[in-house]
Amino acid sequence: MQAKNYFCKNCLVWMVLFLLFTSGLSAQDYYKNYPLNVTIANNAGTNRLEVSTYDSILQSIVTFNTPWTNYNIVITGNNNGKLTFTYWNAASVRTGTLEVIIYDMILHQFFLDHFVVGLVQSESNIVCGPIWVEMMFEFDGGGWYGHPYTYLRYNMFLHKWVSIGQALDLERFTSVPSLYNLPQLGNFDRLLDEDDYSFISYDPIADIWQNKYSDNVTSYLEEDNFYGTNDLGYLGLQTYDPTSHKLEQFKRENLEMELHDGVYISHDIDSTFKHFFTIYDIESHQWISDSIFTSSFTMLKVKNRVLTFVSDSLGVKRVYSMVYNPILPAWIKDSVIVSGNVTNLHVTNGTVTWNDAGGFHTRGYDHSLGWGNYATS
């Protein structure tokens, strides 16, 4: 039994390390911080925070106390394993720093840091999301409200807090107050400011920021995928490669773009007959694109990097199937002429199925055999 417990503990340690290292490879954090229990203790007119958490690797409760202070302590957030608080002096005026605490599950210790944010003159709200601590201020500009903000996060790989914000003039504007309606940020590394059209990404392994600014034509797809102007002024795809530690750009102009399950699908703005299918291959560090020319492009289905759609060009109706083969690397296309109306077009476990006037049809892909009338293994 002792050997079994020893094995499980080490498995858990390696699992945490694996998640942290692979988070750098995918530019995401796939772990959750330990939840923090906190109380404000008083002693002869002084105050301090007493924080604890249960460390499942050490299998014990770990504690941490802030220094005793004559200031009052106000807890501004305690979610997703992040604790934020501010100090107030005897005149009930906030000091200009935000205090942040997190438990580092790798080093098995708490980390406290201080950020000068100038809270004295501004109304503010702090939200602790899964990855980021977002802090927004609000000022009345006379008919409109400005919201400069700062983002904080803990780098579990390098064991430090990092921040970005006011120095870059990151700011939002609204016609109504919105200070107390901040949503929690999602589980991604890319920060988005829709008003300033800025693309901000932090690489926790390289410890660098990527900051891109563009015009109103910019659109943001999902995760670390960005469509807009690049440094040379082109319109094109940009996605962050965590191995090269930079945004890799696919320089093709004049596209209207959507992202489906990791596949970019677009058409030319001036010629909607041109349809493009693009993917970034993380292993070869290159964009791989293919295209078709068709006057009718309908019933698109995308799942697990397999896509299918119906094309009706010059009176010939086909069901197209496409799969990205990362071994080649290349897109592998397949088309089957159909009769009558196509219904129930689906992608299930990499297999394309549909019904038409000829009955039920199946098309699957095998690396050795290619596309055929069988299910994908």
Side-chain angles (χ1 to χ4, degrees):
M1 181 63 68
Q2 290 179 347
K4 181 178 180 180
N5 287 337
Y6 176 81
F7 173 77
C8 291
K9 288 180 183 179
N10 281 276
C11 284
L12 187 55
V13 172
W14 280 110
M15 180 180 71
V16 173
L17 290 174
F18 172 77
L19 291 176
L20 289 174
F21 278 89
T22 53
S23 70
L25 296 177
S26 60
Q28 292 188 356
D29 292 323
Y30 290 104
Y31 64 90
K32 291 185 178 180
N33 298 297
Y34 287 120
L36 304 181
N37 303 304
V38 57
T39 58
I40 300 177
N42 306 105
N43 181 27
T46 59
N47 308 284
R48 75 177 183 185
L49 287 183
E50 297 180 352
V51 189
S52 66
T53 190
Y54 179 77
D55 189 317
S56 60
I57 297 177
L58 301 179
Q59 295 189 4
S60 63
I61 295 176
V62 186
T63 61
F64 172 80
N65 300 325
T66 61
W68 292 104
T69 177
N70 291 319
Y71 288 115
N72 293 322
I73 299 175
V74 175
I75 298 173
T76 55
N78 185 13
N79 298 99
N80 299 290
K82 304 174 187 66
L83 174 65
T84 61
F85 64 98
T86 55
Y87 288 111
W88 292 59
N89 64 22
S92 298
V93 177
R94 287 170 295 186
T95 61
T97 62
L98 177 70
E99 315 292 320
V100 289
I101 297 177
I102 198 170
Y103 184 74
D104 189 313
M105 65 184 72
I106 303 301
L107 299 182
H108 307 288
Q109 66 184 63
F110 288 90
F111 273 79
L112 168 67
D113 209 336
H114 321 268
F115 291 89
V116 177
V117 293
L119 290 174
V120 177
Q121 302 297 327
S122 304
E123 295 294 327
S124 63
N125 187 24
I126 297 99
V127 178
C128 301
I131 297 299
W132 298 93
V133 173
E134 179 180 14
M135 179 172 51
M136 180 182 288
F137 312 99
E138 183 169 82
F139 63 87
D140 188 347
W144 56 273
Y145 294 85
H147 301 100
Y149 57 90
T150 297
Y151 290 106
L152 317 170
R153 67 175 286 176
Y154 185 75
N155 186 328
M156 192 71 73
F157 182 72
L158 299 177
H159 313 293
K160 67 176 184 177
W161 282 94
V162 297
S163 69
I164 191 170
Q166 298 176 80
L168 295 175
D169 296 325
L170 302 178
E171 196 164 319
R172 299 171 183 164
F173 302 94
T174 61
S175 58
V176 295
S178 60
L179 183 62
Y180 299 104
N181 297 314
L182 287 178
Q184 289 192 1
L185 296 177
N187 186 31
F188 47 69
D189 281 332
R190 187 253 300 132
L191 298 177
L192 164 64
D193 182 358
E194 294 178 346
D195 288 317
D196 289 341
Y197 303 103
S198 58
F199 174 92
I200 307 165
S201 177
Y202 175 71
D203 187 324
I205 304 300
D207 192 25
I208 58 176
W209 295 90
Q210 293 284 342
N211 305 312
K212 298 290 181 180
Y213 301 92
S214 56
D215 300 322
N216 296 6
V217 295
T218 299
S219 62
Y220 301 84
L221 300 174
E222 64 184 39
E223 297 296 338
D224 298 322
N225 302 291
F226 169 76
Y227 180 65
T229 55
N230 58 32
D231 295 336
L232 300 177
Y234 293 106
L235 290 178
L237 290 169
Q238 301 181 58
T239 194
Y240 190 75
D241 187 323
T243 304
S244 65
H245 304 294
K246 63 181 181 180
L247 285 167
E248 300 292 351
Q249 301 163 345
F250 179 69
K251 300 172 183 177
R252 211 270 182 203
E253 299 183 65
N254 222 37
L255 297 179
E256 289 186 345
M257 184 72 58
E258 291 182 348
L259 179 62
H260 297 271
D261 197 23
V263 178
Y264 303 90
I265 300 175
S266 58
H267 69 268
D268 192 289
I269 296 174
D270 296 330
S271 176
T272 56
F273 289 6
K274 298 178 182 178
H275 298 270
F276 301 88
F277 311 94
T278 310
I279 196 169
Y280 184 75
D281 189 292
I282 191 67
E283 292 188 90
S284 61
H285 308 289
Q286 61 179 329
W287 290 96
I288 308 294
S289 186
D290 208 333
S291 63
I292 68 165
F293 188 89
T294 178
S295 59
S296 177
F297 182 89
T298 60
M299 299 181 66
L300 173 67
K301 305 288 183 181
V302 185
K303 190 174 184 181
N304 304 130
R305 306 297 173 90
V306 175
L307 59 93
T308 184
F309 55 89
V310 176
S311 167
D312 189 350
S313 186
L314 301 176
V316 180
K317 185 180 293 186
R318 292 181 172 87
V319 167
Y320 273 86
S321 302
M322 296 180 63
V323 64
Y324 179 71
N325 187 328
I327 299 175
L328 295 177
W331 285 103
I332 311 299
K333 285 202 297 279
D334 175 72
S335 67
V336 176
I337 296 178
V338 296
S339 58
N341 293 327
V342 176
T343 59
N344 300 319
L345 182 62
H346 295 291
V347 178
T348 306
N349 296 327
T351 302
V352 178
T353 58
W354 73 91
N355 292 90
D356 63 12
F360 179 76
H361 303 273
T362 299
R363 297 293 287 177
Y365 179 76
D366 179 89
H367 174 61
S368 299
L369 303 176
W371 286 98
N373 296 318
Y374 42 74
T376 299
S377 62

